[in-house]
Amino acid sequence: MERICSSEETFERVFPFLESFGITRVGRQTGLDYIGIPVWCAYTPNAKSIVVAQGKGLTDADARTSAAMEALERAVACDPALDVNVTSVASLNRAGEEVDLLSPLLAQSRSIPNADDNLAFVEGRDLLSGGRVHVPLEAVCLDRTLTDCRYWQSSDGLASGNNYEETVFHGLLERIERDAHVLWQVLAEPRQHARCLDPERFDDARFKRLVAMIEEKDISLRLFDITSDVGIPAIAAFLASKATLASPAARHVDVTFGCGSHPYPEKAAIRAVTEAAQSRVTHISGARDDIFPKTYRRPLSDRLRRLFDARPERSPPNAVSADLDHILSRLRQAGVCRAISVQLGHPDLPFAVSKILVPDLENPEGARRQRLGPRAISATLAP
């Protein structure tokens, strides 16, 4: 599924609403790095989550819109337009309502709520069954000012778009991507290296141009096919200057990472590489308020350095249908029982924001009660 209009048109639609959502500036950061891959940022000084949002793309227009939409989706998620029902699981069940407590998203040291505990619930839709399902508000919103929050709050699965359908499509792809990355991370090192992709085997002029821009600057690129059993292509990209890799004093921030999932592998690869380039600019700018000084002092691990020793011999994964029903079918075949969408934005806005929750898929690293789920544990045990 593609966007219903160009990035320029999307920006024109949302620009009048930036100020009302607290976004004061959208600026170009591309020139901070010498690669030249477009990266933009958007600032929301009084945000309840991070202040700086960033966007990337093949063009300045793409990156500018990406940054603005990320800032908007975070602003909406901080103060979502939702009907909240403070009640218990027992009461909802007695009324014949479906409930998902999203136990994989419980914060550290927090227990699963009892059936009679009152919680703030909001309504979502199960994309697999089409039915209504109630989920805890704290697992959906992105408000860092909340104290004693029972749930781990994250932008994982948070998506914006020109309409609701776009948010579902891209939110699902992000959840598939994050799950695939965790499953690849837990593999033994030789199995990770065996998935190293040859960039020359991608038949896409846009992607080849990105690779050329990187190679011209004496930077090493490693791509890995991290596609999971869901079967939607997912690719991870790592960037580091060759001088950095040769230095014993290299830091963790000197290697940057990006990841992408899309039914078309070339689009997954473009997303991964542009995201890795965005991460370079993030570290260069030093403006992200969720990256602390100790991050810049952390030394580069030997395992991360050795990723660049992997031999790029693998061909890209095969493309699959970009139809939403096909993606949902792939999730079912992988054993996913529920995929929930919660619309966060007001219906009168010229853009949509949704939170996509897929409890059976793995989650990225975070301060959760449960670090890994059954899928990752099984991957660690596989021969």
Side-chain angles (χ1 to χ4, degrees), residues 11-233:
F11 189 78
E12 289 176 4
R13 286 157 57 108
V14 305
F15 180 75
F17 295 85
L18 297 182
E19 183 178 358
S20 62
F21 280 98
I23 300 163
T24 60
R25 182 156 58 98
V26 180
R28 187 176 189 266
Q29 290 187 313
T30 309
L32 294 177
D33 193 8
Y34 53 76
I35 297 180
I37 294 173
V39 177
W40 283 60
C41 63
Y43 290 85
T44 314
N46 293 316
K48 294 180 180 179
S49 62
I50 62 171
V51 169
V52 183
Q54 289 179 295
K56 71 283 181 188
L58 294 172
T59 67
D60 275 326
D62 292 341
R64 180 184 65 173
T65 301
S66 174
M69 295 301 283
E70 180 172 308
L72 283 169
E73 72 186 33
R74 286 178 175 274
V76 169
C78 286
D79 189 19
L82 292 169
D83 292 328
V84 179
N85 182 16
V86 179
T87 185
S88 67
V89 173
S91 295
L92 288 168
N93 287 341
R94 282 195 295 269
E97 298 288 343
E98 289 288 330
V99 181
D100 196 317
L101 287 174
L102 303 172
S103 58
L105 301 183
L106 285 166
Q108 285 179 345
S109 304
R110 299 309 299 261
S111 58
I112 298 174
N114 294 319
D116 294 320
D117 290 345
N118 278 339
L119 296 175
F121 284 98
V122 295
E123 185 178 307
R125 182 168 73 92
D126 186 347
L127 300 167
L128 296 177
S129 71
R132 182 169 57 194
V133 57
H134 299 265
V135 295
L137 171 64
E138 285 187 350
V140 171
C141 67
L142 190 60
D143 184 353
R144 305 293 192 192
T145 67
L146 292 176
T147 58
D148 197 31
C149 191
R150 188 189 293 265
Y151 285 86
W152 169 69
Q153 292 192 349
S154 164
S155 64
D156 182 41
L158 183 64
S160 56
N162 296 290
N163 56 28
Y164 169 67
E165 289 73 20
E166 285 187 7
T167 67
V168 170
F169 181 80
H170 292 283
L172 281 174
L173 289 181
E174 182 169 85
R175 287 296 294 117
I176 291 168
E177 165 205 311
R178 302 292 170 81
D179 170 79
H181 180 223
V182 172
L183 297 181
W184 179 79
Q185 281 182 304
V186 300
L187 294 177
E189 194 170 358
R191 295 179 66 193
Q192 288 184 338
H193 288 207
R195 293 190 173 202
C196 192
L197 288 163
D198 182 356
E200 295 297 322
R201 300 191 191 185
F202 284 87
D203 187 20
D204 185 275
R206 299 165 304 168
F207 178 72
K208 289 180 181 294
R209 176 58 186 153
L210 286 177
V211 174
M213 292 173 70
I214 291 165
E215 292 179 344
E216 286 168 4
K217 303 302 182 182
D218 215 25
I219 293 173
S220 291
L221 166 67
R222 283 296 182 272
L223 297 173
F224 295 88
D225 178 4
I226 64 170
T227 306
S228 72
D229 58 328
V230 176
I232 306 298

Side-chain angles (χ1 to χ4, degrees), residues 352-374:
V353 177
S354 296
K355 176 76 169 181
I356 306 300
L357 303 150
V358 190
D360 291 325
L361 296 183
E362 295 293 327
N363 298 288
E365 186 175 352
R368 294 188 309 280
R369 176 174 180 261
Q370 181 178 332
R371 170 67 183 90
L372 299 174

Side-chain angles (χ1 to χ4, degrees), residues 324-346:
L324 179 58
D325 287 338
H326 179 77
I327 294 174
L328 293 172
S329 175
R330 292 272 183 155
L331 287 169
R332 287 191 189 94
Q333 291 171 20
V336 169
C337 298
R338 183 172 273 166
I340 304 164
S341 67
V342 182
Q343 297 187 58
L344 305 182
H346 195 280

